[in-house]
Amino acid sequence: MVLLAVGHAVDDLYQGAVPAIVPFLVAERHYGYLAASGITLAATLLSSVVQPLFGVLTDRRPMPWLVPLGMTVAGAGIGLSGLGSSYAATWLAICLSGLGVAAYHPESARIARRVAGAGHVGMSWFSLGGNVGFALGPVLVTPVLQAGGLGASPFLVLPAVAAGLGTAMLLRRLSGPRSAAQHTASAGRDDWRRFGLLTVVVIGRSIVTFGLNTFLALWVTQRVGSRTAGEVALVVLFGVGALGTLLGGVLAGRWGRIRTVRTAYALSVPAVAAVALVPGYAVFPMVAIAALTLYVPFSLHVTLGQDYLPNRLGTASGVTLGLAVSVGGIAAPAVGAIANATSLQWALLSLTVLPVIASLAARGLTDPPQHGQVRPPEPTEAA
């Protein structure tokens, strides 16, 4: 689990890097709101389409080599993003990074659930790794690009190369000559109806979080008058979000997953609105509260999805960590269009509709049987 959590941190560092790169693109290349949101779209469009396909493939045959390969490709895309002079070259580089993220998540989440078993906290640690990576994205990107501009972006690939090589060697040692048999007996029935409702919940959260990821730094920079303050706001968003992810597993053990999810989304509605409304530096505690409420359910989405589809853990992971999450990036240009037509404040206020939709969809969810009786396929192929 430590290996998986660290790898998840490195992989998702490159997702967190995208919103941190956006202000530099705006400053150096004079992108508008719509063009800036298009960069977020690039990070998620291809990922949205292919991530569930990777999930289907890993359900049929374990592919642990996708874990180190995915994080390496994710880093390569970010490393190339500052080199192209045209918008198209930048968009394609970010798109390549999204493809790497898509390859990484389903297989790593399938292996992580096998390690975590039926408990909620174990999967929270795996998810925490990803959110720590999100938080580290701005921490890594900001000083590198402040020092060298967009031309320094190739230095950002170094963590991916190091982690990819290390993960490949460790997975090769851990794999060994194991049976590739698919243990599908007594897995239970797949509940596609409730999985569909869960997908609506995650899509609602995704659009909110991607909207904040893309525009929060710009909004806080306007509000406070400092680009550094905007980057700090992203660190608060991702850092507190990481703590919220771990807290979600603890609360689920005490209250149950469904009650935790419903409560978190109900509280997120006023919190997101406050980010857009409070003046000056008061925005920072509001960002922290919004992050807490939006990230508490994060790991619970994954375990709920896997328990609703006990025979298709890779598919469930590809949707809850992939398609349903990445679709928020596809919606980001719509948020940018609202900002262009009205103001950035109104665009952020429009995001409050999504937690309401998530709360309504969550009312149709029930706690499924714990996925603990079935052992998913072993990672049998050498990395």
Side-chain angles (χ1 to χ4, degrees), residues 206-370:
S206 175
I207 297 174
V208 175
T209 55
F210 265 95
L212 291 176
N213 292 352
T214 304
F215 296 109
L216 181 64
L218 295 173
W219 171 242
V220 174
T221 297
Q222 292 180 10
R223 207 70 165 168
V224 178
S226 165
R227 183 191 296 180
T228 300
E231 299 296 334
V232 169
L234 283 178
V235 174
V236 172
L237 178 68
F238 298 147
V240 176
L243 295 177
T245 299
L246 187 58
L247 179 62
V250 176
L251 294 176
R254 179 173 298 181
W255 293 350
R257 287 178 289 183
I258 302 302
R259 181 181 178 188
T260 302
V261 167
R262 290 173 178 170
T263 302
Y265 284 120
L267 294 175
S268 69
V269 177
V272 173
V275 170
L277 294 174
V278 298
Y281 286 95
V283 71
F284 287 102
M286 296 301 103
V287 170
I289 296 172
L292 194 65
T293 58
L294 290 170
Y295 280 84
V296 158
F298 184 70
S299 67
L300 308 183
H301 295 156
V302 182
T303 60
L304 281 169
Q306 291 176 332
D307 286 341
Y308 286 140
L309 302 183
N311 298 296
R312 296 174 174 84
L313 298 188
T315 300
S317 303
V319 172
T320 55
L321 282 174
L323 176 63
V325 174
S326 300
V327 77
I330 297 176
V335 181
I338 294 173
N340 280 336
T342 57
S343 68
L344 191 53
Q345 184 177 48
W346 276 108
L348 293 176
L349 280 173
S350 71
L351 296 175
T352 59
V353 175
L354 283 308
V356 175
I357 295 174
S359 296
L360 293 175
R363 292 181 176 275
L365 301 179
T366 59
D367 229 337
Q370 294 290 305

Side-chain angles (χ1 to χ4, degrees), residues 164-182:
L165 290 174
T167 302
M169 290 187 292
L170 287 170
L171 285 180
R172 185 182 295 274
R173 292 177 58 189
L174 290 172
S175 295
R178 297 178 179 175
S179 170
Q182 302 280 334

Side-chain angles (χ1 to χ4, degrees), residues 9 32 38 44 49 65 75 88 110 125 128 151 181 184 198 204-205 213 216 218 248 251 255 274 285 316 338 340-341:
T44 57
V49 175
W65 51 270
R110 183 191 68 80
W125 280 107
L128 174 66
T184 57
L198 177 65
R205 174 196 177 273
N213 292 352
L216 181 64
L218 295 173
L251 294 176
W255 293 350
I338 294 173
N340 280 336

